[in-house]
Amino acid sequence: MAKKIVIANWKMNPLEFSKAKTLFSATRTITKLLKKTKVVIAPPFLFSQGLGVRKNGLFLGAQDALWGSTGAFTGEISVSMLKIIGTDYVICGHSERRSMGESDAIVAKKAYAVYKEGMTPVVCIGERERDANGTYLSFLAQQIRESLSLIPKKDIARIIIAYEPIWAIGKTAEEAMDSRKLHEMTIFIQKTLSGLYGRNSADKVLIIYGGSVEPKNAPDLIKNGNVSGFLVGHASLDAKGFGAILKAVDAL
Ligand code: PGA
């Protein structure tokens, strides 16, 4: 069976490096027991090098990146810099970045740059809200089509899609998407990918879910949601809870 993957998106947390180290070492202890699950830690850039993520057998993630290597781009971190420090996965087009003005065209350039450097782009898609007419479905199809538009067809299986409905982010397990709806959505995403890249390639693209994954809903979501893993925000800041999510994924 294909490996499962869980990405910890620490966002702009924790405040101090000492706290990041404590969180990381507690997380790492739990991951030692896992057999089938890849664990990616995406800390704030500032902490990326100090934690020793890869040295400890985990994968290093980044929460964003700009294409290119060096240049006059105040405040940015380039894909080449991330590559050099050993980054494996880069989140592209997280809704919190899209809400600051990142368009599908920008996400496409970022995803392509990450791919070109040999890292894995984790391309985020997700609707802000749902409507009875299903307009959100065409919105999602467009996000998929445009955000992946620069990736060569033959390599589409190197991308991970993170489906993160915005209305479910940063809430509680009770308010997250349920596994039945998630299953429907993953079928829709697979169909959209099939239409663009053919069934064979589409089936190889990993789809993960993000949006209030907590210890409480993780077992059902991974069992019945038709996903290959999770992108976990707030619950990844508590090593014990994150550990419970990892165990649920690994147990499958
Ligand atoms: P959440 O965040 O788990 O706190 O909802 C997920 C994400 O935004 O990636």
Side-chain angles (χ1 to χ4, degrees), residues 9 11 94 96 164 168-170 211-213 231-234:
N9 177 10
K11 306 193 179 182
H94 189 279
E96 285 152 16
E164 300 207 298
I169 291 178
S212 301
V213 176
L231 180 51
V232 183
H234 64 271

